[in-house]
Amino acid sequence: MPVTEPTRFQVRLRAPIDEVWHALTDPGALREWLSEYAEVDLPSRYEFWGRYTPDGDRPRQRLLQAEDNVLRFAWTVGGKETVVEIALTEDGDGTSLSFSQSGLPDYTAMLADPDSSLGMMYTFWALSVSNLVDHVEGRPLTARCDLTSPLMSEEVRIDAPRGEVYSSIADPAVFTRWFGARIEAEPQVGGRWAMGSLEIDPEPAKIVDLVSGSKMSLAYQDGVVATWELEDSGGGTKLTFVQSGFSDDKPPYGAWMGWLSGLAELRRFHEVRPWRPLWVDVQLEGAPEGLITLDGK
């Protein structure tokens, strides 16, 4: 399996650096935004595991560094040792977080097996860091992915009118803005929907259900269907996202975590003012130029 240079990304957090460091190193905080179980005893122990963690049947981390706002640990995933580094720097009144993880498969290999323990790392961290940001900013968290369950359905409430939220999903230009990857689509039942470009995507999804203002469903070539349903809710919108059409023996957890991280950013897009993309810079080795995808498809 081809291995990349370290996967890297950078995000902005609207919280002081001390609060972010506490969220990264306090076991109670970790259990809220990262994992089912966590134990930390600096400078010797940093472990997390459980049903929300790939290969989470037991702790598999080995602490390498935890000082000067740099957290570095080895994590054996899929039988391979990777190294995670998270570094914090002050950014005005907030914090800039830089992340890297070495030893992951390249983008092409990840797409070939996105639900392997290593392949899931991209979207696992996309969702986890989205929840870290909301945790330190005092916002509701997005559901974590239960890697022991085949059920893939989640509800989120967005403080915005239903028509605006629907436009964010059905209009490719608006979808591209908040999602961070170019989307091209033919917004009609039977129309194609592609990540990147309809010209370069050999197997675009198909829009199989579209009800203006309330519903859109995409069917992928492998039979998986992703559905958004919208309802009015107390002046805002309740969005129900469901993924179906897969074998219960092999749920597409990698894609599910990516979509959940997308829901977190969709909420931010409508609720945080002024909104700016959470993801400052993302580098996935081998990804097509101009395409940064966090949804596992």
Side-chain angles (χ1 to χ4, degrees):
M1 176 181 292
V3 175
T4 72
E5 292 297 314
T7 293
R8 302 179 187 277
F9 62 74
Q10 183 178 348
V11 299
R12 306 181 183 98
L13 302 92
R14 303 182 191 209
I17 193 169
D18 289 348
E19 292 183 12
V20 181
W21 182 253
H22 178 267
L24 285 170
T25 56
D26 177 76
L30 290 171
R31 295 181 201 119
E32 291 186 25
W33 66 266
L34 178 64
S35 58
E36 184 177 14
Y37 306 110
E39 295 296 339
V40 178
D41 184 13
L42 303 182
S44 58
R45 186 183 186 192
Y46 189 87
E47 297 176 336
F48 55 90
W49 70 101
R51 58 194 169 120
Y52 307 127
T53 304
D55 287 356
D57 57 317
R58 59 181 175 84
R60 298 176 185 271
Q61 298 80 28
R62 177 169 53 87
L63 184 60
L64 302 174
Q65 179 183 353
E67 59 184 356
D68 300 326
N69 292 314
V70 176
L71 176 66
R72 189 167 176 264
F73 58 90
W75 182 6
T76 299
V77 185
K80 180 179 178 58
E81 184 171 273
T82 70
V83 175
V84 174
E85 181 173 301
I86 302 173
L88 307 180
T89 55
E90 292 183 350
D91 183 3
D93 294 334
T95 303
S96 176
L97 180 151
S98 297
F99 172 97
S100 71
Q101 185 172 12
S102 64
L104 299 183
D106 68 15
Y107 183 80
T108 301
M110 182 272 290
L111 286 183
D113 193 9
D115 300 309
S116 66
S117 297
L118 283 169
M120 283 192 282
M121 284 292 98
Y122 295 98
T123 53
F124 169 79
W125 283 114
L127 176 57
S128 297
V129 170
S130 294
N131 273 334
L132 167 63
V133 173
D134 282 336
H135 173 78
V136 298
E137 293 182 359
R139 294 169 45 78
L141 304 190
T142 302
R144 292 172 288 186
C145 180
D146 185 343
L147 301 175
T148 68
S149 169
L151 180 63
M152 294 192 171
S153 177
E154 180 57 32
E155 294 180 358
V156 297
R157 189 186 181 281
I158 299 173
D159 189 15
R162 178 162 54 94
E164 293 181 9
V165 179
Y166 176 78
S167 177
S168 302
I169 295 167
D171 185 329
V174 183
F175 201 120
T176 295
R177 187 177 173 211
W178 62 263
F179 193 67
R182 182 184 178 190
I183 303 297
E184 282 195 351
E186 300 162 337
Q188 60 194 29
V189 174
R192 297 172 297 166
W193 191 97
M195 186 79 66
S197 165
L198 289 169
E199 293 182 0
I200 65 173
D201 189 342
E203 296 184 338
K206 181 179 290 187
I207 299 174
V208 293
D209 197 356
L210 190 67
V211 179
S212 181
S214 61
K215 187 176 183 180
M216 185 173 79
S217 295
L218 304 176
Y220 290 89
Q221 298 290 333
D222 59 4
V224 173
V225 177
T227 299
W228 294 261
E229 291 192 66
L230 308 176
E231 300 177 41
D232 294 325
S233 175
T237 302
K238 182 178 78 172
L239 186 155
T240 302
F241 180 78
V242 178
Q243 205 165 11
S244 59
F246 52 84
S247 168
D248 287 352
D249 295 333
K250 193 175 181 182
Y253 293 126
W256 183 245
M257 286 187 283
W259 281 122
L260 288 176
S261 72
L263 293 183
E265 188 65 2
L266 176 61
R267 275 193 310 147
R268 294 178 65 84
F269 179 72
H270 285 285
E271 295 181 354
V272 175
R273 294 291 181 268
W275 175 81
R276 57 182 181 177
L278 177 65
W279 308 93
V280 180
D281 183 35
V282 181
Q283 300 175 31
L284 304 183
E285 188 73 14
E289 184 176 354
L291 173 59
I292 298 172
T293 176
L294 298 175
D295 80 338
K297 285 290 184 183

